[in-house]
Amino acid sequence: VDRNGMAWGAGNQHVLGLDPKTGKFVSYDIPYWVKTKQSAQGYGMAVAGDGKVWFAERDPSLIGRLDPASGKIDEFKPPIPDSIPRRMGADTSGNIWVGLHEVGKLVKIDYETAKMTVFDPPTQNSAPYSIVGEPKSGVIWFSEQASDKIARFDPKTGVYTEYAVPNAESDMRRIELDPTDPNRIWWAGDTAERIGYIEILK
């Protein structure tokens, strides 16, 4: 949901927006699909500090950016080819973070310049999947699907902390901060058919 209240989603061919106040949809073609007629598989959206909507294009390994004001979509190649970007999250400054699933990296995207910076989690080939930014501290949380861990990264200090979840093959496809407790991070598995949370005790 963007700052104007529009709800956004994406599929193989289009980015869709819904205005809950009017019930009206808008639809924008993903450029990769227009050019190739092949699936873009857009998902994993996040809204940047300027209100533009970023999303992953999984199948072609691209990153898209929609300007809701004009409907224009720009596409960017990630810094590592064929790295398969997944879900995204925004930090306190409005910058976008995305996991490069196939190569086990994190990427920060400066929303003003579109500059991409690569970070290396301590567990190699951990398949970063879902990312959430803490709204106050600037800390980034992300699930490491292939290693059954949830990681905390502080960009200010460069320090990572990884927490193992109780079960192997938890297949963590989504994480969310608990809105009532900033020290609790929920996850949902897919093939594992489990949900759970990690709580940081202080």
Side-chain angles (χ1 to χ4, degrees):
V1 177
D2 69 19
R3 57 190 178 187
N4 294 318
M6 289 285 288
W8 294 97
N12 291 337
Q13 304 170 7
H14 315 290
V15 174
L16 297 174
L18 168 65
D19 185 343
K21 297 176 183 177
T22 64
K24 293 183 178 179
F25 285 89
V26 292
S27 176
Y28 304 105
D29 293 338
I30 296 176
Y32 176 83
W33 177 79
V34 172
K35 289 182 287 188
T36 67
K37 294 299 183 287
Q38 298 178 8
S39 169
Q41 191 56 48
Y43 71 105
M45 300 181 130
V47 180
D50 57 0
K52 293 179 181 177
V53 181
W54 290 76
F55 58 97
E57 296 180 38
R58 188 193 70 183
D59 292 347
S61 194
L62 295 172
I63 296 172
R65 180 185 65 189
L66 166 69
D67 181 353
S70 65
K72 183 176 184 292
I73 295 176
D74 297 305
E75 291 177 311
F76 304 88
K77 293 181 179 180
I80 302 172
D82 302 318
S83 49
I84 314 299
R86 292 287 181 142
R87 298 189 185 277
M88 300 181 173
D91 64 20
T92 52
S93 300
N95 297 309
I96 300 296
W97 291 75
V98 59
L100 299 184
H101 188 260
E102 293 299 300
V103 295
K105 309 291 185 184
L106 281 182
V107 171
K108 174 188 174 182
I109 306 173
D110 185 308
Y111 77 87
E112 294 182 312
T113 64
K115 178 184 176 181
M116 299 187 190
T117 304
V118 178
F119 296 87
D120 294 303
T123 298
Q124 298 296 309
N125 302 315
S126 62
Y129 198 105
S130 181
I131 298 183
V132 177
E134 281 188 7
K136 293 183 179 180
S137 68
V139 165
I140 303 299
W141 289 90
F142 59 100
S143 63
E144 297 181 293
Q145 184 192 21
S147 61
D148 292 308
K149 297 176 183 177
I150 292 178
R152 181 182 189 272
F153 175 54
D154 187 341
K156 297 176 184 176
T157 63
V159 173
Y160 291 88
T161 308
E162 295 179 315
Y163 303 91
V165 299
N167 300 101
E169 302 295 334
S170 287
D171 194 23
M172 294 169 292
R173 302 294 183 101
R174 183 150 189 167
I175 60 172
E176 291 289 347
L177 295 179
D178 191 320
T180 66
D181 185 348
N183 295 315
R184 184 177 293 169
I185 300 90
W186 290 85
W187 84 82
D190 184 4
T191 57
E193 296 185 347
R194 290 191 181 98
I195 63 171
Y197 64 83
I198 290 176
E199 186 169 358
I200 311 302
L201 301 177
K202 295 185 178 180

